[in-house]
Amino acid sequence: MKTESKSAQSSASYNIDRSQVTLPKLSFTQMAQDQLNLMLENDFTLQGKYLRILISGKGCEGFKYSIGFHDLNDDDFLVPVKEMDIEVAIDPFTAFYLGETHIDYQFNYINDEEGFVVVNKQQDEFQGKFWRKDKSKIPPKVQ
């Protein structure tokens, strides 16, 4: 699982109009819920931290996401997770693009990989230079 660094950009640098951002709908698989609960119950360093989903990059196939624990930023949205009694911190830039998102936790013993997997169901809409074709897919800026 990746954790986010303090140098992660906040949406304040983008001047996103928060009032025009629709909060994403998040769902967690049972495996993701179990792993998250296990972490929260057994790692005292996570007390007071929030699970955060972040757009960490973009490639030809769309956005790349990171998920980890971090402090709350002033401009974050807190998105409730209906399956669990938690709120996920999401900056306005990431929230603008997440839409309906599914979080799983996977073990891949063959490749020695383990961690949360973020699947944005609208990912196909963000391939290539999508913003050139559809200006409505650019986050609204504060006037």
Side-chain angles (χ1 to χ4, degrees), residues 4-12 18 50 52 54 70-78 89-92:
E4 181 182 327
S5 71
K6 288 263 187 194
S7 63
Q9 290 184 334
S10 75
S11 62
R18 292 173 43 91
Y50 286 85
R52 172 182 299 286
L54 174 74
H70 200 272
D71 293 325
L72 192 63
N73 294 328
D74 291 340
D75 61 343
D76 284 336
F77 288 108
L78 287 175
I90 303 175
D91 65 89

Side-chain angles (χ1 to χ4, degrees), residues 71-133:
D71 293 325
L72 192 63
N73 294 328
D74 291 340
D75 61 343
D76 284 336
F77 288 108
L78 287 175
V79 179
V81 177
K82 65 180 177 179
E83 298 97 347
M84 306 175 70
D85 188 26
I86 66 165
E87 294 177 306
V88 177
I90 303 175
D91 65 89
F93 181 82
T94 302
F96 181 79
Y97 288 111
L98 274 183
E100 189 175 343
T101 299
H102 187 71
I103 294 94
D104 193 8
Y105 194 89
Q106 296 183 348
F107 296 99
N108 183 333
Y109 297 112
I110 295 170
N111 294 329
D112 195 30
E113 296 174 339
E114 173 183 355
F116 288 100
V117 177
V118 178
V119 178
N120 182 342
K121 294 186 179 185
Q122 291 82 28
Q123 184 74 354
D124 291 347
E125 296 179 26
F126 308 120
Q127 294 179 346
K129 296 179 180 171
F130 65 88
W131 61 90
R132 289 186 178 170
K133 299 174 195 162

